[in-house]
Amino acid sequence: MRRRRVNGNPLTKHLPVKTIAFRLTMSFVFIIVIISAIFTAVGLHFIADRTMTEAQIKVRNDLNAAREIYQGNLHNIHQTVRFSAERFYLRNALIERDVSRATGELAKTLTQEALDVLIVTDDKGVVLYRAHNPALRGDGLSSDLLNAVLDQHIPASATTIISANELRRESASLAERAYMRYVDTPRARPTEEVEQTAGMMLEAAAPIFDYENNLIGVLLGGVLLNQHYDIVDKIKQTVYRGMQYRNKDVGTATIFQGDVRISTNVLSTDGTRAIGTRIAEAVYHRVVEKGEPWIDRAYVVNDWYITAYEPIRDVTGRIVGILYVGMLEAPYSDVRRRTTLLFLSIALGGMIVAVALSYLVSSRVTVPVKKLVRASREVADGNLETRVTIRSDRELAELADAFNSMAAALQTRDEKLKEFATRKIMESERLAVIGKLAADVAHELNNPLQGIVTYSNLMLEKLPAEDACVPSIEKIVKQASRCTIIVRGLLDFARQRKPNKRHSDINAVVSDCMSLVEHRAVFHNIKLIKKLSGGLPKVIVDPSQMEQVFVNLIMNAAEAMDGSGRLTVSTRLDPTGGFVEMDFADTGHGISEENIERIFDPFFTTKEAGKGTGLGLAISYGIVKEHEGSISAVSRVGKGATFTVRLPVAPTEEG
Ligand SMILES: Nc1ncnc2c1ncn2[C@@H]1O[C@H](COP(=O)(O)OP(=O)(O)OP(=O)(O)O)[C@@H](O)[C@H]1O
Ligand SMILES: [Mg+2]
């Protein structure tokens, strides 16, 4: 059997189950996103850091190799010059003060060793012979390297800066090689100047001694580094093996004179060697001004490189140039980019899997919850046979068990209620039939009984008092009168008489009743206490019917007190203001728990047979109901009973 849905029942409203699943999934997703983000960030940072460190270690090693090659070249020149200075032809030529005897050999050395400069001076540093320009001689050479050899009489070699004048004295082509117009590139160190005329040279000088070991001259040889690419190309070849990335050389090497590239294999955008371009300001500051190496990324000509720079010093220790190696950053940044992408896709993949998993997990909770909600709705709709089975989760299974026990308990109670109601209905139907029958019988009996009483009385009047029949006839009168009372009670109970209602003062009705009964013998030893509230609103009642009710209650109380005790009658307005209440509280024997259920039933009485009809309270109940009021009783056995009558306050009052 399905009952009609009750509007506003909280269980029938839509529960936010979807929202729970959604929130659960979202919480999971939130946690996963945060964790993945942290891991990705940390991972990427670690990888970037690691790649950069690796690259820097590599470029530092490359710089070491480059230095070796650079120093190797210098050393070769050193050895060439030293050996030539010790050669006897040079010694003899100088001893005999005729350099022309050695020029042939010297010219050969110049070409064979690919030297740009080969000069012989006397022991004062005055030029005796210039292999490149033999016509020019007799001038003094001012060179720190030469001075060092003249001073210390031992061979020396170093990087030196050669002025344009000095170069011109050697040859116009050398001066031309050294000459450079500055080329502007992005991020290059700004300068006011536009050109450079001096050159930078790998130079070696060795003393020439006579047979007594006296210094008789110095041999000086060198290679101009400007636009001389052997060293840088060898570095590139040795260290980087000509590796290319996207058609660009990965490895590059450069020799700077001051801040200018004079020998390099870094290319300009037009594909030529980036000669005449200059270093970045920050690198210059670190390497030239502070004399420290730079190992970091740097913008070289037109691209980012992972670079290593270190100062080149002359014989006095002054920084005159920079040696540089660098690797294109692009391969590294591409690896980094690819790793980032890989990391992000792994994180994304992980996230998708996690979302799917979290959805599965949350549905493990929400599906049973939905089941429970659906079952609750069914129960609310009256289907008490609904049961839920949940196996997925122990706690939810317990909840389902609890729900099932509740539904079972509700079902049992419902069945009991139905049974009780059916019994009650049957009982009242039976009572109604009995009542109707009783009323019919009473009606039929009333007239004959009246006849019996009237004629018995007539007989008593006619017969002399000493007649032997008189006592019997008196008994007939008495019993017949009793029957009349019972019959009247039955008629009262069964009567469908409409009450004659009017606005009435209930206090007045109660007072009337009390004065009606208080003179009766039963009240001699009973204290009657009146506690009537003043100013009570009027009620709409039939006063005579109400009197009947109150007299019934008062008489019952008197009977329960068996002649002595206290009856308190009080009236008041109930807290809602909608009802007037009357209490009849006695100190009688009270009513037992089992009887209190039945006192309003017709014919229920505890009085001995023939004493009470058991209709008093049943009639009172009917009258009060007819007035839309209620009557109830509370009692403690041995202490007394209190009957309360509630009557509705009249909607409008009349004076
Ligand atoms: N104030 C009371 N104290 C104790 N018991 C009471 C009280 N009022 C009623 N009863 C109980 O309720 C029963 C039914 O009362 P009701 O007035 O209907 O009938 P009755 O008094 O027995 O008979 P009748 O009213 O015809 O004399 C009484 O027999 C009594 O047992
Ligand atoms: Mg009674």
Side-chain angles (χ1 to χ4, degrees):
M1 179 185 79
R2 278 180 78 83
R3 278 186 212 159
R4 218 154 38 90
R5 222 173 221 226
V6 185
N7 278 341
N9 184 333
L11 279 173
T12 62
K13 283 182 189 160
H14 187 71
L15 280 186
V17 174
K18 268 189 193 132
T19 328
I20 293 171
F22 182 73
R23 278 209 307 262
L24 266 175
T25 314
M26 275 300 127
S27 320
F28 278 129
V29 171
F30 180 71
I31 293 167
I32 291 156
V33 166
I34 293 283
I35 291 175
S36 325
I38 291 172
F39 270 98
T40 313
V42 170
L44 288 181
H45 178 79
F46 178 76
I47 286 169
D49 200 59
R50 199 66 228 152
T51 354
M52 200 57 186
T53 317
E54 289 291 331
Q56 284 179 356
I57 290 171
K58 176 162 170 24
V59 87
R60 195 189 291 267
N61 289 335
D62 296 348
L63 184 64
N64 290 341
R67 192 192 309 117
E68 284 304 312
I69 292 168
Y70 184 88
Q71 294 295 346
N73 266 47
L74 185 58
H75 184 68
N76 284 348
I77 298 167
H78 182 97
Q79 294 296 66
T80 306
V81 171
R82 192 161 70 86
F83 286 136
S84 302
E86 284 172 6
R87 297 278 287 278
F88 69 95
Y89 69 87
L90 192 53
R91 184 181 294 175
N92 292 345
L94 278 191
I95 291 170
E96 285 159 26
R97 300 190 179 276
D98 182 9
V99 184
S100 61
R101 292 176 58 183
T103 51
E105 285 294 326
L106 286 172
K108 218 158 88 191
T109 311
L110 182 79
T111 354
Q112 270 175 2
E113 300 301 328
L115 296 176
D116 288 322
V117 171
L118 192 63
I119 298 172
V120 184
T121 70
D122 64 8
D123 60 341
K124 301 287 180 300
V126 176
V127 176
L128 299 176
Y129 173 73
R130 267 192 177 87
H132 250 300
N133 190 5
L136 187 64
R137 45 180 294 196
D139 56 321
L141 258 191
S142 74
S143 148
D144 289 332
L145 191 69
L146 179 68
N147 294 340
V149 175
L150 291 173
D151 256 16
Q152 291 163 22
H153 298 191
I154 50 165
S157 56
T159 309
T160 51
I161 298 292
I162 313 287
S163 71
N165 275 342
E166 188 60 43
L167 286 171
R168 263 194 298 275
R169 274 186 224 144
E170 282 297 321
S171 78
S173 71
L174 271 194
E176 211 171 281
R177 248 174 72 195
Y179 177 79
M180 247 157 236
R181 272 196 85 77
Y182 293 157
V183 179
D184 232 6
T185 54
R187 293 170 204 248
R189 184 169 178 251
T191 177
E192 300 279 280
E193 288 162 26
V194 292
E195 57 179 20
Q196 169 184 280
T197 52
M200 193 161 92
M201 197 173 269
L202 290 182
E203 214 175 27
I208 308 167
F209 299 104
D210 62 11
Y211 293 103
E212 280 80 44
N213 221 15
N214 295 316
L215 182 74
I216 51 174
V218 174
L219 179 65
L220 202 129
V223 170
L224 184 69
L225 291 169
N226 302 51
Q227 302 193 47
H228 169 96
Y229 303 115
D230 288 1
I231 299 177
V232 288
D233 286 351
K234 189 169 175 200
I235 294 172
K236 189 173 96 174
Q237 206 47 48
T238 317
V239 177
Y240 297 108
R241 304 206 158 74
M243 230 162 26
Q244 292 221 317
Y245 187 77
R246 294 201 190 129
N247 291 332
K248 239 181 154 174
D249 287 331
V250 171
T252 52
T254 299
I255 298 167
F256 287 85
Q257 175 181 337
D259 61 357
V260 184
R261 288 186 181 84
I262 56 164
S263 173
T264 183
N265 40 43
V266 175
L267 301 182
S268 303
T269 29
D270 59 6
T272 58
R273 293 185 192 253
I275 295 298
T277 56
R278 290 185 337 280
I279 202 166
E281 175 74 61
V283 184
Y284 181 82
H285 175 72
R286 166 85 68 82
V287 182
V288 176
E289 287 171 359
K290 290 176 125 187
E292 291 165 7
W294 168 287
I295 291 167
D296 206 340
R297 61 199 295 263
Y299 197 76
V300 177
V301 183
N302 52 21
D303 218 333
W304 280 100
Y305 284 78
I306 298 157
T307 63
Y309 295 80
E310 69 173 21
I312 299 174
R313 296 170 192 273
D314 68 5
V315 74
T316 61
R318 199 166 59 90
I319 296 171
V320 291
I322 301 166
L323 181 63
Y324 147 93
V325 286
M327 299 180 287
L328 259 189
E329 200 189 40
Y332 288 91
S333 41
D334 283 357
V335 165
R336 213 161 50 213
R337 201 170 310 122
R338 275 201 298 274
T339 323
T340 310
L341 275 178
L342 189 73
F343 246 79
L344 287 180
S345 19
I346 290 173
L348 195 73
M351 241 180 271
I352 291 170
V353 172
V355 167
L357 279 180
S358 63
Y359 182 77
L360 276 181
V361 171
S362 62
S363 54
R364 262 176 72 91
V365 177
T366 50
V367 166
V369 170
K370 273 185 196 164
K371 262 193 194 174
L372 277 166
V373 169
R374 210 175 306 124
S376 310
R377 280 190 197 137
E378 291 214 358
V379 168
D381 283 351
N383 182 6
L384 297 178
E385 273 154 28
T386 311
R387 297 290 180 272
V388 189
T389 334
I390 294 171
R391 290 199 186 84
S392 56
D393 185 282
R394 197 172 56 84
E395 277 163 323
L396 286 170
E398 274 172 23
L399 183 60
D401 282 350
F403 175 87
N404 290 343
S405 328
M406 180 197 76
L410 274 177
Q411 199 177 8
T412 318
R413 203 191 62 180
D414 197 52
E415 275 158 11
K416 275 190 185 156
L417 265 176
K418 273 184 216 155
E419 201 182 303
F420 179 74
T422 321
R423 215 175 53 225
K424 272 285 165 197
I425 289 164
M426 278 166 62
E427 228 166 67
S428 45
E429 277 169 358
R430 198 163 41 98
L431 281 176
V433 171
I434 294 170
K436 175 89 175 61
L437 191 71
D440 287 350
V441 170
H443 190 76
E444 289 301 320
L445 283 182
N446 200 26
N447 289 339
L449 273 175
Q450 287 301 330
I452 291 169
V453 171
T454 312
Y455 288 111
S456 310
N457 274 324
L458 271 177
M459 280 175 81
L460 276 180
E461 278 171 21
K462 296 229 168 106
L463 285 175
E466 57 284 350
D467 193 297
C469 293
V470 167
S472 301
I473 295 172
E474 274 174 352
K475 275 182 187 154
I476 291 172
V477 170
K478 199 179 164 196
Q479 293 302 328
S481 301
R482 218 182 106 62
C483 287
T484 316
I485 291 167
I486 293 171
V487 165
R488 206 175 298 140
L490 268 175
L491 283 175
D492 268 349
F493 173 66
R495 185 166 46 198
Q496 296 291 314
R497 185 163 67 89
K498 273 260 162 252
N500 181 14
K501 291 183 191 171
R502 54 178 176 270
H503 279 86
S504 319
D505 174 2
I506 206 72
N507 280 345
V509 182
V510 170
S511 296
D512 283 354
C513 287
M514 293 180 75
S515 35
L516 210 69
V517 295
E518 66 191 348
H519 299 297
R520 294 195 189 173
V522 280
F523 285 95
H524 280 167
N525 289 323
I526 289 175
K527 203 168 171 208
L528 271 175
I529 305 165
K530 257 200 284 185
K531 287 186 181 170
L532 307 182
S533 288
L536 283 181
K538 294 268 167 78
V539 288
I540 304 177
V541 293
D542 179 334
S544 68
Q545 286 195 355
M546 274 305 141
E547 260 172 35
Q548 195 184 347
V549 172
F550 299 155
V551 168
N552 264 334
L553 294 176
I554 293 166
M555 290 313 294
N556 277 352
E559 281 151 16
M561 288 187 285
D562 213 9
S564 68
R566 202 168 62 245
L567 172 65
T568 313
V569 181
S570 47
T571 60
R572 63 178 175 273
L573 191 64
D574 92 328
T576 66
F579 286 87
V580 170
E581 293 180 338
M582 292 125 267
D583 277 352
F584 297 82
D586 63 54
T587 55
H589 52 65
I591 313 161
S592 74
E593 219 170 290
E594 65 206 73
N595 283 351
I596 206 159
E597 300 275 308
R598 305 166 59 202
I599 50 173
F600 294 102
D601 290 352
F603 305 114
F604 175 79
T605 177
T606 53
K607 292 175 188 166
E608 58 194 69
K611 282 277 170 70
T613 61
L615 285 172
L617 282 180
I619 292 167
S620 304
Y621 183 88
I623 292 172
V624 174
K625 274 276 154 201
E626 186 65 36
H627 285 80
E628 283 151 29
S630 65
I631 178 166
S632 57
V634 287
S635 169
R636 279 171 68 198
V637 178
K639 298 278 179 195
T642 301
F643 280 76
T644 304
V645 177
R646 273 161 65 84
L647 293 171
V649 167
T652 49
E653 285 189 29
E654 281 175 14

